[in-house]
Amino acid sequence: MKVEFLQIEPTTRCNFTCGFCCGRQMTQSDLREDTFARVLDALPDLRHIELLGEGEPLLHPRFFDMARQALKRGLRVSFITNGSLLSPSVVDQILGLGFWDVSISLESADPEVFRNLRGGKLEKVIEGVRRLVAARDARKLKRPAIGFALTVLRRTLGDLSAIRSLYRDLGLDGGIGIQLLQGMEPYVRCYDEEMSAQRFRPEEIRQVRATIKNSGLRELDVTMREQGFYQELFSGWTPSSGTCPWLERGLYVNRDGFVTGCCTIKEAEHAFGRIGVDSLSTILKRRDRTRRELAKPHIPASCRGCRVAEAIYASNGPSRKYLKLALALDKNRITKL
């Protein structure tokens, strides 16, 4: 199976102190530029790469050099940033290179809540985003699309309408990617007591999703961001397919060159291999082994706590099979009567 979608981590260093980010408890280091080149060389079928990880990508001293390498190969290149470093010179480089889209990560449109969660100033982020949008529009460029990458916490669930208003006020057009506060073990063990209280209980998820849907944010995501990284990767996917798009067409590479199924898997023990050490065929065989385990259906150890894996299991797991069997038997009984 091909690898068409890749997320690669430029750095774990960051100028913010988000309490839900496990990067703040990791070794602070940068991806080597030669490792980045080896990744591109090893994956000839790549279509789209996204530069993100547990740090602020723009802090990597060779960020734009790496992006240039990928763009010269005809790849779509996206990245997620906290938005605090969008100075005039950075904006000029972003627009000059031709990125596909840029997502600004945030949780709240309230400056005080934002500062409490992230340790940074929302006002500075907004200033930088306005600068990026204005410069792009002044040059009459269609790309990059500019949007939000939103993490929803219990305390910010009520901020969704304000975030939608901020999106429109800034003139954004890249949609709003939405995820709930992570429940994967590498993240959970980094949460303090206050952050742990921001997680949603399993029985609340359905109502939370309904709240998000009613906020209209999903409409922006669907109608405005059809060609974004995640939208491309997950296009046409349903849990009943029995497989995860990451295990079919994607990979994640961290700043040390370790390859995993996606960016939420942090443990080296769950890596498929390491760039420069293991061959691509070995890495893909290990990815396929995980894919087949998920299709049994069984949630692999590396995927525990993942909502995609849980949705696949819920749609294809034993309880679902027994329900189908019971319905089939009942239908057969009724037919005979």
Side-chain angles (χ1 to χ4, degrees), residues 182-195:
Q182 271 292 342
M184 298 282 280
E185 179 56 31
Y187 294 87
V188 172
R189 63 170 173 255
C190 295
Y191 298 160
D192 60 19
E193 184 176 352
E194 182 179 356
M195 187 55 61

Side-chain angles (χ1 to χ4, degrees), residues 6-20:
L6 173 75
Q7 286 182 330
I8 187 164
E9 179 177 64
T11 184
T12 49
R13 297 185 296 117
C14 192
N15 58 333
F16 278 10
T17 56
C18 306
F20 48 83

